[in-house]
Amino acid sequence: MTSFDVDLFVIGGGSGGVRAARIAAGYGAKVMLAEEYRVGGTCVIRGCVPKKLMVYASRFAEEFHEAEGFGWSVGETRFDWATLIRNKDREIDRLEGIYRTNLDKAGVEIVDSRAVIEDAHTVHVLKTGARIRARYILVAVGAHPTLEPVIPGGELGITSNEVFHLEAQPKRVLVVGGGYIAVEFAGVFAGLGSEVTLLHRGDMLLRGFDDDVRAALGEAYAQRGVNLALGRTLTSLEKTPGGIAATLSDGSVLTVDQVLVATGRRPNTKGLGLEKAGITLDEVGAIPVDAYSQTLIPSIYAVGDVTNRANLTPIAIREGHAFADTVFGGKPTMVDHDLIPTAVFSTPEIGVIGCGEAAARAIYGEIDVYKTAFRPMKATLSGGKDRVFMKLIVDKATDKVVGVHIMGHDAGEMIQLAGIAVTMGATKADFDRTVAVHPTAAEELVTMRTPVVVKKPQAVG
């Protein structure tokens, strides 16, 4: 009879791994978790949490200005980068301590070391040399940002890991990319007063989002002074006495103090030993899994960004919880990756759930589209220039709301609540009979009554 040292060995102390470990331990499993860096993972240590704190910091300058319209005399203001970074670091330390405490209370043994897989049931702890036999192994090591594509001088750029630890605020910043991370940090630095250029190879930001939202964000960023360099790529970087000279694909040269590359992330699977256990990675280095997060090796599972399914912290948490329910709780659970509420913490903020217009037409055929754009109430006195944009997409055959798209203040908060309704299968009639909360921006979600008229292209004959 084969004996095991633990029921579950978790490799990776991020959101997914921590949740899986705690829930499994709650079911009575003996659990060991190895983390080579800091417990909390990308989200807590160098992702969602510190980024949101920096987003908050970047919005105060505008709020100070807007206060004047309401009778406030704010006086001279000054921003200190070192204070923000110091306070941010203190909060991250606090959160990591909470994560460790919660694991300890759950009875999970934490190993501060890198761990690699030796076979289907054996994990090698590199710091101590111990080899742990586990009934199940869960890989939850996440992903890392890359400096891709490789270009001459590319090593002069930084990623979203290093940006949280800059000693000084760069006055001139080039942000490369058009996804979540790129637009969020472009907004952060612009709000803090840096001169920002956002370089993206496409003609609009946020590929995969609804085109109206993409266009609206581009307009808002241009209005805020962000230099949008679209339809171009970065070809080289060179250190010069005046800073970093960035050469673009059109031959133009931009000199900046810092280049943030946010063009993609790769799963942290290199050197993990997965091939020894018989697991073949996909073309980007991710671990293929089934709907229950199980690999082709029955004893090995994987959750979170390392599987490259839906790379968002709440999804990793749901996958980790579902894994523990399935394997140790006797409750087989799959995670639905189709309907995911998500927020982009740009300024203005974006909240989305469901299909964009083009995708909805491809899936459902006949749809109704409702949309509105307006100046928020606060701007009537503050003089703020940002507008709120909202869009509902409805399947004509069922009347179900299959897409909600919001851009504006607190869009992330609004989409969480709208997400409940859409996940439950709410119809446009359900939205219509919901009493509006007045005066709010969110009331527009339930007061749009007339679908927009979409002109169909004329046939050429």
Side-chain angles (χ1 to χ4, degrees):
M1 183 175 178
T2 304
S3 61
F4 297 102
D5 300 307
V6 295
D7 297 305
L8 173 64
F9 195 106
V10 180
I11 305 178
S15 298
V18 167
R19 175 59 65 90
R22 290 177 59 195
I23 300 302
Y27 284 126
K30 183 178 181 181
V31 182
M32 185 177 290
L33 180 148
E35 171 55 54
E36 63 178 305
Y37 179 52
R38 298 180 68 179
V39 175
T42 295
C43 180
V44 173
I45 306 301
R46 49 194 179 192
C48 322
V49 173
K51 173 201 67 186
K52 186 70 178 292
L53 294 174
M54 295 176 78
V55 167
Y56 283 137
S58 72
R59 292 175 176 172
F60 280 104
E62 184 175 10
E63 291 176 6
F64 293 147
H65 174 71
E66 290 182 335
E68 295 175 5
F70 290 87
W72 287 91
S73 297
V74 176
E76 183 181 355
T77 60
R78 183 176 65 87
F79 171 70
D80 183 65
W81 175 268
T83 298
L84 170 63
I85 299 303
R86 181 172 61 253
N87 291 344
K88 178 267 298 180
D89 288 343
R90 183 169 63 244
E91 174 61 8
I92 299 311
D93 290 344
R94 185 186 74 85
L95 291 175
E96 183 187 9
I98 291 173
Y99 267 64
R100 286 181 172 273
T101 297
N102 287 341
L103 284 169
D104 184 63
K105 287 181 178 179
V108 176
E109 181 179 351
I110 304 172
V111 178
D112 294 303
S113 171
R114 179 173 177 78
V116 298
I117 294 171
E118 293 201 334
D119 61 40
H121 291 282
T122 306
V123 178
H124 181 200
V125 179
L126 301 189
K127 187 175 182 179
T128 64
R131 284 173 169 78
I132 308 298
R133 293 280 294 167
R135 187 179 304 276
Y136 294 99
I137 297 170
L138 176 67
V139 182
V141 293
H144 64 277
T146 64
L147 290 170
E148 294 178 352
V150 177
I151 59 170
E155 69 280 358
L156 295 173
I158 63 170
T159 72
S160 56
N161 282 356
E162 295 80 33
V163 72
F164 293 113
H165 304 289
L166 293 175
E167 293 184 0
Q169 177 188 349
K171 298 303 179 185
R172 302 166 298 175
V173 184
L174 171 62
V175 181
V176 184
Y180 284 77
I181 296 173
V183 300
E184 288 172 340
F185 276 107
V188 165
F189 283 115
L192 295 176
S194 298
E195 181 182 320
V196 179
T197 297
L198 181 53
L199 174 67
H200 177 48
R201 63 184 179 181
D203 58 354
M204 286 195 292
L205 303 171
L206 293 177
R207 181 172 60 88
F209 282 68
D210 183 85
D211 282 351
D212 281 336
V213 173
R214 300 173 72 193
L217 180 65
E219 292 170 6
Y221 266 28
Q223 190 175 65
R224 286 176 169 274
V226 176
N227 175 30
L228 296 177
L230 302 176
R232 284 169 277 178
T233 59
L234 184 64
T235 59
S236 69
L237 296 175
E238 182 182 0
K239 186 69 175 177
T240 69
I244 300 173
T247 301
L248 309 187
S249 55
D250 62 358
S252 61
V253 179
L254 181 68
T255 300
V256 296
D257 302 304
Q258 198 62 257
V259 178
L260 171 60
V261 180
T263 53
R265 297 172 64 86
R266 297 281 184 178
N268 287 323
T269 48
K270 186 176 181 180
L272 199 57
L274 291 160
E275 67 283 350
K276 293 181 180 179
I279 295 174
T280 301
L281 305 176
D282 69 11
E283 63 276 4
V284 298
I287 301 175
V289 293
D290 66 12
Y292 294 97
S293 296
Q294 187 177 39
T295 71
L296 289 175
I297 307 305
S299 59
I300 301 180
Y301 288 71
V303 298
D305 290 8
V306 76
T307 66
N308 198 35
R309 287 178 284 182
N311 299 337
L312 297 166
T313 296
I315 294 299
I317 293 172
R318 289 289 299 275
E319 290 171 355
H321 200 133
F323 155 79
D325 284 344
T326 299
V327 176
F328 296 101
K331 298 179 289 186
T333 306
M334 294 186 291
V335 176
D336 183 0
H337 294 86
D338 291 331
L339 273 179
I340 301 172
T342 187
V344 182
F345 293 105
S346 49
T347 302
E349 201 165 290
I350 294 169
V352 173
I353 183 171
C355 299
E357 183 176 343
R361 291 190 188 283
I363 296 170
Y364 300 101
E366 292 293 318
I367 61 172
D368 278 330
V369 177
Y370 300 79
K371 57 184 177 181
T372 183
F374 56 93
R375 184 172 63 161
M377 185 177 181
K378 183 180 179 182
T380 60
L381 297 188
S382 73
K385 296 180 180 179
D386 279 343
R387 293 175 65 80
V388 177
F389 173 80
M390 294 182 176
K391 184 173 184 177
L392 298 179
I393 299 172
V394 179
D395 174 21
K396 264 193 173 182
T398 64
D399 195 43
K400 280 188 177 181
V401 177
V402 296
V404 178
H405 307 266
I406 307 170
M407 190 184 82
H409 182 66
D410 276 344
E413 303 291 342
M414 284 189 260
I415 205 64
Q416 178 65 86
L417 300 178
I420 297 172
V422 175
T423 301
M424 293 178 67
T427 63
K428 182 62 169 63
D430 291 326
F431 273 57
D432 291 344
R433 64 188 176 88
T434 300
V435 176
V437 179
H438 182 75
T440 66
E443 69 181 291
E444 295 290 331
L445 290 172
V446 300
T447 58
M448 288 184 275
R449 291 290 188 268
T450 306
V452 297
V453 178
V454 180
K455 294 182 180 179
K456 295 184 179 180
Q458 294 181 351
V460 178

